[in-house]
Amino acid sequence: MTLTVVILTKNEARHIRRAIESVAAVADQILVVDSGSTDDTVSLAEGFAAKVIHNPWRNYATQFNFALDHLPDGTDWVLRLDADEIVLPELAEEIAAKLGGLNPDVAGIYVSRRMCFLGRPIRWGGVFPIRVLRLFRAGRGRCEDRWMDEHILVDGPTVDFHGEILDDNLNSLTWWTEKHNAYASREVVDLLNLEYRFMKHETVANLRGGQQAGVKRWLKENIYARLPGGSRAFAYFLYRYVFRLGFLDGREGTAFHVLQGFWYRYLVDAKLHEVRRYMEQTAQIL
């Protein structure tokens, strides 16, 4: 079984070597899709024998699907890995031991994903580990056509691996907040599309499948999205920080839960309100 690891990059010189080294023992090929790096990302990736191709950035979904359309010949399985992530040794060993022996009907594999924030593992708040579909057979999976929080959709049964991927971004907090400011704008697009359907709507939302990603998306689209803007961000933060014991993650964890669990969610609602107000003032209907 030939495994190609797909990594999307832009100015990831700080992370790319670490990501590639974490999969070196199991990857037959590494495909890096770069969207205009001005640092040493490309040369570092090529130094590790990765195949680097270039494509202008629109959003994660279109960039990842572009990668799927340009997989090296002979690819049997695809592993989606962000540049700031690491495949932990236990997962690498599991891939090596199990991938070739899976039933041919199996289309995808769920793994766990954890996160470090400001150097501290986040263990509380009910958000980690996240079960994510990151391994799938070539030709049987595509990324959801969304602007934010995109997942892989596969056309067949899935199985679970127990190993983990670690998200450990080494950039500054300024970089993190700027990234999430952009994320908030992208999420507003998806929220408006949920209501007005001005674009194709793809979603993993599913209560019957029992998969964490499907259940969380269903709750987000059918319950959270219908709650009053602003107050829902505060309620979500209380749930994570108090009821799911997020305060046990220490000072760095408090920063994470406040920023990602409240500030970001409130920023999304504020931007959504801004767009709706503009629509009312200009009498525009999407």
Side-chain angles (χ1 to χ4, degrees):
M1 289 295 173
T2 301
L3 173 65
T4 295
V5 178
V6 174
I7 306 175
L8 309 186
T9 61
K10 183 176 183 181
N11 294 333
E12 292 288 357
R14 183 171 285 139
H15 301 113
I16 190 64
R17 175 176 181 172
R18 189 185 63 177
I20 292 176
E21 287 180 338
S22 76
V23 297
V26 294
D28 297 285
Q29 301 170 93
I30 295 172
L31 176 63
V32 171
V33 183
D34 190 76
S35 55
S37 290
T38 56
D39 61 7
D40 295 331
T41 298
V42 171
S43 61
L44 287 170
E46 291 175 337
F48 282 92
K51 177 183 179 182
V52 180
I53 59 177
H54 303 270
N55 193 54
W57 182 266
R58 180 172 177 247
N59 59 36
Y60 193 103
T62 56
Q63 192 77 338
F64 190 79
N65 286 332
F66 173 86
L68 295 182
D69 292 334
H70 293 81
L71 291 173
D73 292 339
T75 298
D76 297 308
W77 285 87
V78 179
L79 170 62
R80 168 186 171 183
L81 186 70
D82 289 347
D84 59 359
E85 293 177 335
I86 309 164
V87 170
L88 295 180
E90 294 79 7
L91 178 56
E93 293 170 5
E94 197 170 9
I95 291 171
K98 296 181 179 179
L99 197 63
L102 291 175
N103 188 301
D105 290 339
V106 173
I109 302 168
Y110 281 89
V111 303
S112 290
R113 174 177 168 269
R114 292 187 182 272
M115 172 177 277
C116 284
F117 186 78
L118 298 179
R120 184 185 182 109
I122 304 299
R123 305 185 186 280
W124 299 90
V127 288
F128 298 109
I130 299 171
R131 297 296 292 173
V132 289
L133 197 152
R134 288 299 189 88
L135 275 159
F136 57 96
R137 289 189 191 271
R140 298 184 63 183
R142 300 284 288 180
C143 193
E144 292 177 289
D145 186 9
R146 299 174 61 90
W147 280 81
M148 188 61 198
D149 192 28
E150 55 288 304
H151 291 269
I152 301 297
L153 297 168
V154 295
D155 62 346
T158 61
V159 297
D160 293 296
F161 279 4
H162 300 293
E164 298 182 345
I165 289 172
L166 177 66
D167 181 331
D168 185 17
N169 193 287
L170 303 176
N171 287 318
S172 68
L173 192 56
T174 297
W175 177 92
W176 189 94
T177 53
E178 289 174 351
K179 181 183 77 169
H180 279 73
N181 180 39
Y183 280 179
S185 298
R186 288 159 52 183
E187 186 154 346
V188 167
V189 175
D190 281 338
L191 285 171
L192 289 170
N193 189 48
L194 186 64
E195 182 176 354
Y196 294 103
R197 293 292 198 272
F198 52 85
M199 298 186 303
K200 181 180 179 181
H201 178 68
E202 291 187 334
T203 180
V204 297
N206 186 1
L207 288 179
R208 296 180 181 179
Q211 292 292 345
Q212 184 188 53
V215 172
K216 288 177 66 176
R217 177 68 62 74
W218 189 93
L219 291 171
K220 185 175 181 179
E221 291 184 351
N222 293 277
I223 297 179
Y224 183 86
R226 299 180 182 182
L227 296 175
S231 60
R232 60 190 178 188
F234 184 67
Y236 177 60
F237 168 72
L238 286 179
Y239 166 76
R240 272 176 52 168
Y241 193 68
V242 178
F243 294 103
R244 297 305 300 268
L245 308 180
F247 61 87
L248 294 178
D249 279 319
R251 179 178 296 179
E252 295 83 2
T254 294
F256 175 74
H257 293 298
V258 169
L259 290 172
Q260 202 273 341
F262 176 68
W263 171 80
Y264 170 70
R265 299 251 53 95
Y266 194 88
L267 183 62
V268 170
D269 287 346
K271 290 193 175 196
L272 181 61
H273 173 72
E274 180 183 40
V275 173
R276 292 190 185 283
R277 187 166 177 266
Y278 175 81
M279 291 168 61
E280 292 174 357
Q281 291 176 341
T282 58
Q284 294 199 29
I285 300 177
L286 292 175

